[in-house]
Structures are given as C-alpha cells and as structure tokens.
Amino acid sequence: MSALNINPLMYRFVRYCLNRAYLELDDSKLSADERYSLETILSIIRQAEDNWKDINSIVDFISNELLKIYGEALERLPDKIVDELFEKVLNNCKELDEVKTDPRVLNAIDNALESMKGIKKKFLEGSKTRIYEPSA
C-alpha cells in the first residue's frame, strides 16, 4: 500500500477523535494520581496508532483493544470521567466523513458504545479492585 492510499482515519483517530475528547474533558477535580492515570491511558491509545496498517486495523482496535483499555480505565479513574472520555472519542469519530461513509467503522463504533455499557455493568457488579465509588 502506498502512502497515498492511507485512510485519513488512521491519523485522525488520535489527532481529532482522542485529542479533541481530551481537550473537552474537565479534569480539574482529578488528583495528581488520577491525572497520571489519565495520561497513561491516553498514551496507550496514542501508541496503538503505531500498529495500524489499514482501516481493518482500526476497526479491530475499536472493537477489541479500546474496550479492554476502557475496562482498565474503570479500575483507575472515576467512572464518570472514563465514560465521558471514551464516549467523546467515539462520538468525535462519528463526525468524520471517513467514518460516516464506511459502515464497518460506523458499526464498530456503535457496537463499542453498546459494549461499554455491558463492560461497566459487569465491572461494577463484580470488581473487588474498584478504587472509586460509581457516580450517581
């Protein structure tokens, strides 16, 4: 695949979807440890971009790896912040033309948003490692 055939979503996921979500996030009430955890989670997502070879890599990331990162984030941060960040990331992506015109990506995002609800419910019901109380 030549560089000219790279799908713009491969670089817009981090530069638009993730960074925009982070800029819109109110992290002013997070402690220093929580901010460090947030930065670590953002770094993990940013570094994932290095492994994307094509649009299928992004779909796989959204469908699998991003959901694992979401579950890990629930262990380290207040669930309200985690939900806000991940929902904004995915919803920001839904605004991109590259996503609107690719049903595979759009379906992966919609499925991820739905799966996050189940992951959170299961985590809140069964976690012994939860640091924070669930938000009301």
Side-chain angles (χ1 to χ4, degrees):
M1 175 185 288
S2 79
L4 298 176
N5 291 332
I6 294 175
N7 188 301
L9 183 59
M10 290 178 67
Y11 58 87
R12 288 187 180 158
F13 186 89
V14 168
R15 287 160 195 79
Y16 179 80
C17 305
L18 180 66
N19 291 344
R20 182 174 174 215
Y22 177 55
L23 287 173
E24 294 174 351
L25 195 66
D26 180 12
D27 61 355
S28 62
K29 294 182 177 140
L30 295 179
S31 69
D33 287 341
E34 292 168 335
R35 284 177 195 257
Y36 178 78
S37 292
L38 178 60
E39 286 296 330
T40 301
I41 290 161
L42 295 169
S43 292
I44 290 168
I45 296 171
R46 287 180 180 126
Q47 291 170 359
E49 178 185 47
D50 296 340
N51 298 319
W52 298 341
K53 310 242 183 296
D54 54 25
I55 197 70
N56 292 327
S57 301
I58 299 172
V59 169
D60 185 55
F61 174 78
I62 293 169
S63 300
N64 298 302
E65 194 62 31
L66 189 65
L67 296 174
K68 290 177 189 171
I69 297 167
Y70 171 78
E72 292 171 10
L74 286 172
E75 292 181 20
R76 295 172 174 80
L77 293 166
D79 58 312
K80 184 177 179 183
I81 291 284
V82 174
D83 289 341
E84 185 178 350
L85 174 66
F86 281 77
E87 288 172 10
K88 282 184 177 189
V89 167
L90 294 172
N91 285 322
N92 286 344
C93 283
K94 288 173 79 170
E95 296 175 4
L96 296 171
D97 289 337
E98 298 84 10
V99 172
K100 290 178 183 176
T101 58
D102 192 327
R104 295 171 301 164
V105 180
L106 195 55
N107 286 337
I109 290 171
D110 288 339
N111 290 338
L113 286 166
E114 192 60 36
S115 294
M116 285 169 33
K117 294 174 189 172
I119 291 168
K120 182 177 177 179
K121 182 178 184 212
K122 183 178 178 182
F123 181 76
L124 293 176
E125 289 173 352
S127 178
K128 304 288 187 250
T129 61
R130 179 128 182 103
I131 297 170
Y132 302 97
E133 291 301 316
S135 300

